Amino acid sequence: YENCFDNVKVSTNAWDTNLVKVNPVSFRLNDYFDRVFVAINWNAGGGGAFAVIPHKNVGKISDGIPLYRGHTAPVLDTDFATFNDYVIASGSEDSKVMIWNIPEELGEPESPDIEPVAKLNGHGRKVGHVLFHPVADNVLASSSADLTVKLWDIEKGQEKQALQGFLDFIQSISWNYNGSLLATTCRDKKLRIFDIRSGNVVQEASSHQGIKGSRVAWLGDTDRILTTGFSKMSDRQLYLWDSANLDKPLKNIMVDTSSGVLMPFYDSDLKILDGNIRYYEFENDELFFLAEYKSSGPQRGMSFMPKRGINVTECEIARAYKVSSNTIEPISFVVPRKSDAFQSDLFPPTLSGEPALSADEFFAGKDAKPKTVSLENGFQAKEKKEFVSAAPKEEENGLPTPKTEKEYQDAYHQLRQENEDLRNQLAQRDVAIRALTVQLEQLKTGSS
């Protein structure tokens, strides 16, 4: 528990997301824990909020931690930008997607809350998932209870594409290796693959038939997809699919009869699939069970650190961040080696954090593979780049923006009172209109 975050006010919202995201801001061989950001959906009154916690704040989190406020309803999902470690997106029940700059120094307790730099309006109902593109800079996907997935150029603040055809809530989304296709699972029990540029469904299949949550993960640079879900008898399942032919799964594995939703994470470098937390090796369309991690406490959510943020000198091949009721616990997976030399078999070139395409190039139809980097000499991130969005500003309503929970509560009660006053005014006008209507009818009757 040395590197745990305690006293975390984890959101109590029941929407099916991972609750937590993590990224490395910079990395040096002897400094792999120092510059880590952990984002967590926060249980805050008077609107929606999330927190971004630097690893230097491990231990008990202050009640006065600065929060990312701006949403008027609970935050359901967050995602760090793939190519800018100081940018994060959020989706909320208020139907908005917001983009935020993370201060280089996150401030001490009682610092002012952080304001969004862009608000993306377009969804008609709650936004359940946000996911940045793996290759193109400033491209974001968001899924909503309005039964659409929207693609955004966040720098311009523009909606570029809307994917439709869902018959129920979207439960999970996953990009393929170059981001030209998007796989989705849905509560209508369908697995769908979309061509991003055309917006068309190119493959569709009946998937897990249970009523609980289903997830999808694209298996790296292969054409294989893995889904997790439940059978009609509530058995937890893994399905392996050929993305070019979804007639039936290539493999169907019954995991167990537990009730928790399986969260699939795929390590494309080592071809290892992690889930809740069992790990499998993927080879020749087979999933070979390797081992599992067990703990006494249940998990509410989980996120894995990108490979450029792990400790190669200790042969750490993966690090997960597990969320329980009020803690976030890092779980390190290490392969013991006697040699101090760089282990190239454990650490092949990995995703670099540098974009291969701009948003304009991607939406113009250009494809590219992600850029990779060797971790042999450690990884040093580039200097912070301030994100600026050209998204149109929302018109101010003349009211000051609340900064604290008390201000949010005061603003809520003020708006509620104003709403009640308007209702009363409308009711009085309705009465006056009815009275005038009666008088008019009487005058007509008298004149006839």
Side-chain angles (χ1 to χ4, degrees):
Y1 296 96
E2 177 183 0
N3 292 300
C4 289
F5 302 92
D6 198 8
N7 193 38
V8 179
K9 306 296 191 297
V10 183
S11 172
T12 57
N13 191 280
W15 192 264
D16 188 15
T17 61
N18 291 356
L19 293 173
V20 64
K21 289 291 175 69
V22 60
N23 82 335
V25 178
S26 64
F27 171 66
R28 293 184 295 276
L29 287 175
N30 299 316
D31 187 22
Y32 75 104
F33 259 134
D34 287 353
R35 299 292 287 174
V36 173
F37 284 166
V38 178
I40 182 75
N41 298 359
W42 204 259
N43 185 18
F50 65 97
V52 176
I53 310 171
H55 197 273
K56 66 180 182 180
N57 289 0
V58 292
K60 185 175 181 179
I61 302 301
S62 168
D63 291 335
I65 182 175
L67 297 177
Y68 289 64
R69 295 190 185 268
H71 290 288
T72 58
V75 172
L76 301 180
D77 197 23
T78 59
D79 194 33
F80 287 101
T82 313
F83 307 113
N84 189 333
D85 293 327
Y86 289 89
V87 171
I88 188 169
S90 60
S92 165
E93 284 191 5
D94 64 7
S95 78
K96 289 182 171 59
V97 175
M98 295 189 183
I99 311 298
W100 314 72
N101 272 320
I102 302 170
E104 194 152 11
E105 293 298 330
L106 287 187
E108 301 301 324
E110 309 304 334
S111 296
D113 291 332
I114 293 91
E115 300 288 339
V117 294
K119 297 181 181 181
L120 307 178
N121 300 301
H123 284 297
R125 298 185 67 187
K126 63 181 69 174
V127 177
H129 304 91
V130 287
L131 188 64
F132 276 97
H133 197 272
V135 173
D137 201 11
N138 294 322
V139 175
L140 179 73
S142 61
S143 73
S144 169
D146 64 8
L147 310 188
T148 67
V149 174
K150 292 186 183 292
L151 280 296
W152 306 87
D153 179 339
I154 65 168
E155 188 173 27
K156 293 183 173 66
Q158 294 177 352
E159 176 189 328
K160 306 295 286 189
Q161 181 65 280
L163 310 180
Q164 300 177 333
F166 304 98
L167 303 180
D168 210 327
F169 291 166
I170 301 152
Q171 295 178 317
S172 179
I173 59 178
S174 178
W175 296 103
N176 71 337
Y177 190 64
N178 69 359
S180 61
L181 302 173
L182 188 76
T184 67
T185 55
C186 181
R187 207 160 71 176
D188 63 11
K189 304 173 185 176
K190 297 286 188 180
L191 168 65
R192 295 179 176 87
I193 301 175
F194 286 86
D195 179 278
I196 296 302
R197 276 48 171 268
S198 69
N200 295 329
V201 178
V202 294
Q203 291 285 333
E204 180 176 312
S206 294
S207 187
H208 307 275
Q209 296 302 297
I211 60 174
K212 293 183 180 179
S214 177
R215 303 286 187 92
V216 61
W218 212 294
L219 301 188
D221 58 355
T222 73
D223 57 1
R224 299 302 192 246
I225 293 172
L226 186 122
T227 58
T228 64
F230 293 81
S231 70
K232 288 183 178 179
M233 302 300 293
S234 295
D235 300 320
R236 297 202 296 184
Q237 299 173 316
L238 301 178
Y239 282 180
L240 178 67
W241 304 84
D242 178 355
S243 63
N245 182 2
L246 300 186
D247 286 345
K248 64 178 182 178
L250 300 174
K251 295 293 176 182
N252 177 349
I253 299 175
M254 199 283 280
V255 178
D256 55 30
T257 57
S258 297
S259 59
V261 174
L262 286 167
M263 306 173 191
F265 302 93
Y266 184 67
D267 183 337
S268 59
D269 298 338
L270 299 180
K271 296 181 172 55
I272 294 177
L273 177 79
D274 306 292
N276 206 34
I277 301 174
R278 293 175 174 85
Y279 22 110
Y280 299 79
E281 182 178 5
F282 171 61
E283 189 69 35
N284 297 325
D285 288 344
E286 294 285 349
L287 291 172
F288 300 99
F289 177 75
L290 297 176
E292 65 179 308
Y293 167 85
K294 292 183 178 180
S295 66
S296 58
Q299 64 191 40
R300 293 196 53 210
M302 182 170 289
S303 179
F304 273 77
M305 170 67 72
K307 270 300 185 66
R308 55 193 172 89
I310 62 176
N311 188 1
V312 298
T313 60
E314 298 293 334
C315 293
E316 180 188 41
I317 62 168
R319 191 188 322 141
Y321 284 75
K322 169 189 168 183
V323 179
S324 59
S325 58
N326 62 353
T327 62
I328 303 174
E329 174 191 358
I331 303 169
S332 185
F333 298 86
V334 176
V335 177
R337 293 283 174 91
K338 292 182 178 180
S339 173
D340 293 333
F342 177 73
Q343 307 295 313
S344 58
D345 60 324
L346 296 180
F347 304 105
T350 193
L351 300 179
S352 69
E354 292 284 342
L357 295 173
S358 68
D360 288 339
E361 288 174 326
F362 172 73
F363 286 114
K366 188 175 180 180
D367 286 329
K369 292 183 178 180
K371 293 184 177 181
T372 59
V373 65
S374 172
L375 297 180
E376 184 171 2
N377 298 314
F379 178 81
Q380 181 65 49
K382 56 191 176 182
E383 294 297 319
K384 178 185 178 183
K385 178 183 177 183
E386 195 74 13
F387 173 77
V388 178
S389 175
K393 302 293 184 182
E394 288 190 337
E395 293 184 7
E396 296 293 337
N397 57 12
L399 297 175
T401 303
K403 301 293 184 183
T404 66
E405 185 166 333
K406 183 178 184 304
E407 289 179 357
Y408 270 94
Q409 291 174 349
D410 292 343
Y412 168 76
H413 291 302
Q414 180 182 347
L415 290 173
R416 186 172 181 178
Q417 185 60 51
E418 290 177 359
N419 185 51
E420 190 65 29
D421 292 342
L422 288 172
R423 287 177 180 273
N424 292 334
Q425 292 177 23
L426 287 173
Q428 292 171 7
R429 291 181 181 181
D430 286 342
V431 171
I433 290 171
R434 286 197 296 271
L436 290 172
T437 301
V438 171
Q439 291 178 17
L440 183 59
E441 291 295 330
Q442 291 174 344
L443 288 173
K444 287 181 178 178
T445 303
S447 61
S448 61

